[in-house]
Amino acid sequence: MEKEKILFTSESVSEGHPDKVCDRIADKILDAYLELDENARVACEVFITDNFVLVGGEITSPKHVYVDIEKQVKDALREIGYDRDELGTNYHNVEIINKIKQQSADISKGLSQSRKEDLGAGDQGIMFGYATNESDGYMPLAISIAHKLVREATRLRKNGSFKYARPDMKSQVTIDYTDKNNIKIDTILMSIQHEPNIDLEQFKKYIHDEIMIKVASSFKLNTDFKYYINPTGSFVIGGPSGDTGLTGRKIIVDTYGGAAEHGGGSFSGKDPTKVDRSGAYMARYIAKNLVASGVADRLLVQLSYGIGLNEPLSISIKTYHTSHYSDETILSLIHHVFDARPGMIIDAFKLNKPPFKYSDLSSYGHFGRPDVNCPWEKLDKVDEIKAILNGVERK
């Protein structure tokens, strides 16, 4: 009997996908508030369909700053490329309804501590962080490749090289793990929106030759994979005209492509007191530094929080039988090296005045980003971890 392949698949979507349009708008609103008031409390949700955008949520600014919500919506649509009536969504004449209100006073009082050490979590919840040594960025291969495919296709569309492409794109990558010494790409699927009445064969040839092959080669992987491009045929109607969009509906795309558990909370439109966001960043930071230190080949870290409480309720790990030290040793390391209190996370990563724009993270993932300066991706705890482990018995 023929040996069954061991396969794993992840997907990504471009910034022109309707859900990602909403994530970008929400994060641009967050960026605008934090630029003017680093203590602003933002929980912003967005809905889009055709040429209509609804913005809602709860926002409170201690400095009482004003942000032009309509401008942020239009800027996001313009940056993505929704600038013509033919696309069904046009920033020039989009209808916008703003239903933002103040944050609940019951929540706000738990987040008003003057000392960063005392800041309580903005909500209860569980967050996961993951790292694996199967790629240079300590990310799963499938999601890393899937992100790069749509990121590169978007870059080429915007600089004019990828002719006739429209903003809405999807990718899906299947990795073959059957031979651990010869991990390879089994299949790549891409669906890319395009202008009407084009030469589809030439369009598909460009995608295969200039995007799929080049991205696979950049990972030093095989180029003889199976591939599918726009398998339903033409893909003219897309973006918010092809489907409604909502914030927070692509949480697996935002994290590890299904290779690890997810707590359920989304990131976009939330200020860093929301541990759905800051806790997930810390969990990734912990997992990545531990894997880079040789503690395990794969590692999952779970953090849990209670609303208004400044210490995690629990920290747990999963090593998938790849650890080189006991679970007790790894947990002791985490407690000794990392401070997972919300206020300390915000301070360590400068999340109120970050060295990046949150809107830059709204597409193509929040982790393993070579193109964005993400403090939680730094490997600045490796030396400390190795020093503590010096002399500790390995498994």
Side-chain angles (χ1 to χ4, degrees):
M1 188 171 67
E2 186 178 351
K3 185 176 182 180
E4 288 288 337
K5 289 183 178 180
I6 300 172
L7 305 173
F8 185 81
T9 302
S10 293
E11 69 160 351
S12 183
V13 297
S14 72
E15 62 199 52
H17 184 281
D19 294 329
K20 281 294 157 199
V21 173
C22 293
D23 286 345
R24 186 176 187 86
I25 292 170
D27 276 334
K28 280 190 72 68
I29 292 170
L30 171 64
D31 286 332
Y33 268 99
L34 290 181
E35 186 176 345
L36 299 172
D37 184 353
E38 64 181 34
N39 293 313
R41 300 289 182 253
V42 179
C44 182
E45 310 292 345
V46 180
F47 167 89
I48 191 169
T49 184
D50 294 320
N51 208 33
F52 169 78
V53 176
L54 172 65
V55 182
E58 298 78 43
I59 298 179
T60 297
S61 165
K63 293 183 178 179
H64 305 289
V65 301
Y66 169 75
V67 168
D68 187 338
I69 300 297
E70 183 170 311
K71 180 181 185 301
Q72 300 307 318
V73 172
K74 291 187 173 184
D75 283 353
L77 294 174
R78 175 181 52 79
E79 290 163 3
I80 293 168
Y82 286 114
D83 54 8
R84 295 179 286 138
D85 287 339
E86 300 84 60
L87 298 174
T89 307
N90 184 350
Y91 81 91
H92 290 100
N93 54 27
V94 63
E95 179 187 359
I96 302 166
I97 294 180
N98 178 3
K99 289 292 185 180
I100 289 173
K101 62 186 185 215
Q102 289 269 313
Q103 183 187 52
S104 162
D106 290 340
I107 295 175
S108 181
K109 67 184 179 183
L111 305 175
S112 303
Q113 304 296 332
S114 59
R115 298 196 328 146
K116 61 189 177 185
E117 295 89 344
D118 298 328
L119 181 71
D123 201 353
Q124 71 176 50
I126 56 175
M127 299 87 221
F128 289 94
Y130 178 77
T132 170
N133 62 11
E134 70 181 78
S135 71
D136 292 341
Y138 295 93
M139 286 288 288
L141 271 173
I143 190 66
S144 298
I145 299 170
H147 281 324
K148 191 168 184 179
L149 286 165
V150 284
R151 194 171 70 236
E152 182 65 8
T154 297
R155 184 186 71 81
L156 294 169
R157 172 181 67 85
K158 287 185 170 182
N159 72 19
S161 301
F162 188 9
K163 298 184 184 303
Y164 313 116
R166 287 181 168 181
D168 194 359
M169 308 177 183
K170 292 183 178 183
S171 66
Q172 191 166 285
V173 176
T174 301
I175 300 294
D176 184 350
Y177 289 100
T178 308
D179 181 354
K180 293 182 179 179
N181 297 314
N182 183 30
I183 295 171
K184 58 185 181 180
I185 302 173
D186 182 82
T187 308
I188 294 179
L189 165 65
M190 293 194 77
S191 294
I192 297 182
Q193 185 189 14
H194 56 79
E195 300 289 344
N197 305 315
I198 67 168
D199 186 332
L200 284 175
E201 290 310 309
Q202 282 298 112
F203 187 74
K204 291 180 178 182
K205 186 177 188 305
Y206 183 91
I207 294 169
H208 176 263
D209 296 351
E210 300 299 322
I211 300 173
M212 289 181 171
I213 294 295
K214 289 186 176 180
V215 168
S217 298
S218 74
F219 283 86
K220 298 180 173 58
L221 290 169
N222 59 301
T223 57
D224 60 346
F225 46 80
K226 299 191 295 289
Y227 67 94
Y228 303 93
I229 299 170
N230 290 10
T232 61
S234 65
F235 180 16
V236 175
I237 301 172
S241 285
D243 195 5
T244 56
L246 291 168
T247 43
R249 201 158 59 174
K250 285 288 178 286
I251 57 177
I252 302 303
V253 170
D254 285 340
T255 53
Y256 307 102
E261 286 91 329
H262 194 292
S266 62
F267 302 153
S268 289
K270 296 178 180 177
D271 76 80
T273 65
K274 280 71 172 175
V275 283
D276 279 336
R277 176 165 233 155
S278 52
Y281 292 169
M282 173 53 77
R284 161 66 175 173
Y285 180 63
I286 295 170
K288 184 176 181 180
N289 275 269
L290 288 171
V291 170
S293 302
V295 168
D297 298 335
R298 295 172 61 199
L299 183 66
L300 182 77
V301 175
Q302 185 206 56
L303 304 176
S304 74
Y305 292 90
I307 188 167
L309 302 179
N310 71 332
E311 292 277 0
L313 296 179
S314 67
I315 301 175
S316 67
I317 59 169
K318 183 189 290 187
T319 59
Y320 308 92
H321 308 290
T322 71
S323 64
H324 305 294
Y325 297 88
S326 69
D327 285 3
E328 290 79 6
T329 296
I330 298 171
L331 286 166
S332 178
L333 268 173
I334 293 173
H335 286 287
H336 184 81
V337 175
F338 301 95
D339 193 335
R341 289 176 290 177
M344 303 308 289
I345 298 171
I346 292 169
D347 182 66
F349 297 152
K350 304 295 185 285
L351 295 180
N352 280 342
K353 289 290 183 183
F356 57 86
K357 293 290 187 184
Y358 282 108
S359 53
D360 289 339
L361 294 171
S362 59
S363 299
Y364 317 120
H366 292 245
F367 309 116
R369 290 292 298 269
D371 57 324
V372 181
N373 180 14
C374 301
W376 52 90
E377 292 295 314
K378 291 181 179 178
L379 295 174
D380 53 2
K381 296 293 187 181
V382 171
D383 290 342
E384 182 180 356
I385 292 168
K386 287 183 175 180
I388 294 172
L389 290 174
N390 186 27
V392 177
E393 183 179 358
R394 290 168 62 97
K395 274 186 170 181

